[in-house]
Amino acid sequence: MDHHDRPEQGPACSVDLSHRVRRHCPVGRGPEAVVVDPGRRRAYVACSRSDAVVALDLDRGVAVWTAPVGREPIPVILDLPTRRLFTADARSDTVTVLDADTGSRLTQIPVGAYPAGLGHHPGLRRVYAGNTADGTVTAIDADRLVVVGTVPAELGAGSIAVDTRRDRGYSANFMAGSVTVFDADALTPLGTVAVREGPCKVVPDPAAGLLYVASSLHGTIGRVSLEDGTVLDELPVERAPVGMCVDPSGGRLYVCNRGAGTVSVLDTRAGRETHRITVGNAPGDCALDPATGTLLVSNAGSGTVSFVDRPWLPGPAQPAVHPLVGRSLPGFALPDLRGGRIRTSREWAEKKYVINFFASW
C-alpha cells in the first residue's frame, strides 16, 4: 500500500492479572501518546522510535494498521469532525496529518523546532503544537490544514492543554519552569505561571476548574486554578511523572510515572493518591476508554500498551521495598572501561559526588 503498512497478525498479547491489568499489547518501539476513539472502537498510538502511528482494535487488542509519519512522533490527537489524526514529529519539525480510518497520510505541515506537544480545540477548529527548541506555539487550522499563527511562550514549550470553556491554552515550558497562558482564539499571550522545574505535561480539568502540571524532576503534580492561575498545591507521586489523563466523570487523575513503571491514581476531590498500578517499563501517557472504563497506558520502554480494567479500584499490595534501599554503598573493586584500571569504592569515601541517571529509561 502507498501510505501505510497493514501488518500481519502481531504477537499475542501477554496477560497479567495483577492490578487488573488485562493485557500488554505490542505496538512498536517507543510508544508515547495514546488516544481513544470509543465510537469506532480503536486506539491510536504514537510510536516515537518507530516513526509511526499504530491503530489498535480496542476489543481484540490487535493492530489494525501502522502508518509512517515524521521522525520521533511524541503526541497524537484525534479530530473527530474530520476523522483526522495529528502527530507532532519532534525531529522533523512537522505535524503529520493522517486519515484515522485508513492511516493514509493527508499532509505534513512545517512548524517550529522540535515540536513535542499538541493541543486541540474542536470548537475553534484549532490544533496547537508546542515547539520545544523555539519556545513557541504554532496554531493550525484543523479543517484547512494551514498554519494560522504563532504564540510566543518560553524555552522548552512542549505539552499543550486547552480549556475549551474559557478558550485558553496552556504551554508547559520545561526549561523555563513555567506555564504560558494564551488566548486560544486570538493567539495572544495572557501571562505566565511559575511552577516547579521540569513541567513536562499539562492537563485541564474544566469541571473542577483545575490545571494539572506534572513535574518530572520533582515527582509532583501541581494543581493550578484555571480561573486566575494561582498555584494551589502539589501532590507527590512516584519517579518522573510524564503523562496524565483525567476521568471526567469520576474525580480521578491517572499519572504515568516513567521512572517507576507505575500509574498513580489520584482522588482529585480529596487531593491524595489512593493507589498505584504496575504497568510496563517507562509509561509515557495514558487515555481512558469511556465506553468500558478501561485505562490504556503506552509503555515506551516495553513497546506495549497496557489495558487496565477498573483502574479506580486498588489492586494487590505493592511489593516490599528491597532491603538494600537506604543502606551504605557496599565495597567493590571493578575494572573501568578505559584501559581496565581497577576502581574501588574507597576512592569516593567521605566525598560528595553526583550520579546522573537522567533519562535512564
Side-chain angles (χ1 to χ4, degrees):
M1 297 186 180
D2 292 337
H3 300 291
H4 64 281
D5 301 318
R6 192 176 300 274
E8 300 296 328
Q9 180 80 16
C13 299
S14 61
V15 177
D16 178 2
L17 297 180
S18 66
H19 295 280
R20 298 183 176 86
V21 176
R22 180 155 44 96
R23 56 168 74 108
H24 303 286
C25 296
V27 288
R29 293 182 293 124
E32 292 290 353
V34 56
V35 65
V36 170
D37 181 356
R40 298 295 177 96
R41 306 304 302 143
R42 284 188 179 177
Y44 303 96
V45 188
C47 295
S48 64
R49 303 305 177 197
S50 296
D51 299 335
V53 171
V54 175
L56 280 179
D57 184 299
L58 280 173
D59 300 313
R60 296 183 298 131
V62 297
V64 178
W65 51 255
T66 298
V69 291
R71 297 173 64 198
E72 198 175 346
I74 298 175
V76 60
I77 62 172
L78 171 65
D79 181 54
L80 281 174
T82 60
R83 297 209 50 74
R84 292 170 176 167
L85 293 166
F86 294 77
T87 67
D89 313 315
R91 295 176 64 194
S92 295
D93 300 341
T94 58
V95 168
T96 298
V97 187
L98 302 175
D99 183 300
D101 294 323
T102 66
S104 299
R105 181 185 296 189
L106 303 177
T107 190
Q108 204 165 46
I109 305 166
V111 291
Y114 205 87
L118 287 178
H120 185 214
H121 194 316
L124 294 178
R125 309 304 302 133
R126 296 265 176 87
V127 172
Y128 308 90
N131 306 310
T132 301
D134 282 352
T136 62
V137 177
T138 300
I140 298 169
D141 186 300
D143 296 311
R144 296 185 295 127
L145 304 180
V146 295
V147 172
V148 294
T150 301
V151 182
E154 292 191 297
L155 190 60
S159 175
I160 305 292
V162 180
D163 177 4
T164 57
R165 293 187 182 183
R166 298 168 179 82
D167 290 341
R168 291 177 183 169
Y170 298 83
S171 167
N173 307 313
F174 186 88
M175 314 301 189
S178 67
V179 173
T180 296
V181 187
F182 61 93
D183 187 307
D185 187 12
L187 303 179
T188 54
L190 300 175
T192 302
V193 179
V195 294
R196 284 271 204 170
E197 298 93 339
C200 61
K201 182 75 172 182
V202 281
V203 173
D205 187 352
L210 295 173
L211 178 75
Y212 302 107
V213 183
S215 172
S216 60
L217 301 183
H218 292 271
T220 59
I221 305 300
R223 300 199 297 178
V224 179
S225 168
L226 287 173
E227 189 61 38
D228 59 13
T230 302
V231 179
L232 303 175
D233 57 17
E234 287 186 322
L235 307 178
V237 289
E238 280 201 287
R239 298 185 301 278
V242 297
M244 297 183 288
C245 70
V246 173
D247 181 351
S249 62
R252 285 176 290 268
L253 178 71
Y254 299 96
V255 181
C256 296
N257 303 309
R258 193 172 192 126
T262 63
V263 172
S264 291
V265 184
L266 304 184
D267 183 325
T268 57
R269 298 189 181 99
R272 64 182 181 87
E273 182 182 72
T274 59
H275 60 285
R276 294 171 184 168
I277 304 166
T278 300
V279 288
N281 294 329
D285 215 344
C286 55
L288 282 165
D289 175 4
T292 63
T294 301
L295 180 71
L296 278 70
V297 183
S298 54
N299 304 302
S302 302
T304 60
V305 170
S306 297
F307 286 63
V308 185
D309 286 334
R310 296 183 295 169
W312 57 87
L313 295 177
Q318 294 290 305
V321 175
H322 193 280
L324 291 180
V325 173
R327 294 183 58 183
S328 301
L329 178 71
F332 66 83
L334 294 170
D336 66 14
L337 297 178
R338 297 180 179 179
R341 176 186 171 189
I342 299 299
R343 311 301 295 266
T344 75
S345 55
R346 288 176 295 181
E347 294 179 52
W348 295 283
E350 305 299 326
K351 295 179 181 179
K352 294 180 179 180
Y353 54 93
V354 175
I355 301 176
N356 182 10
F357 289 111
F358 182 74
S360 60
W361 52 76

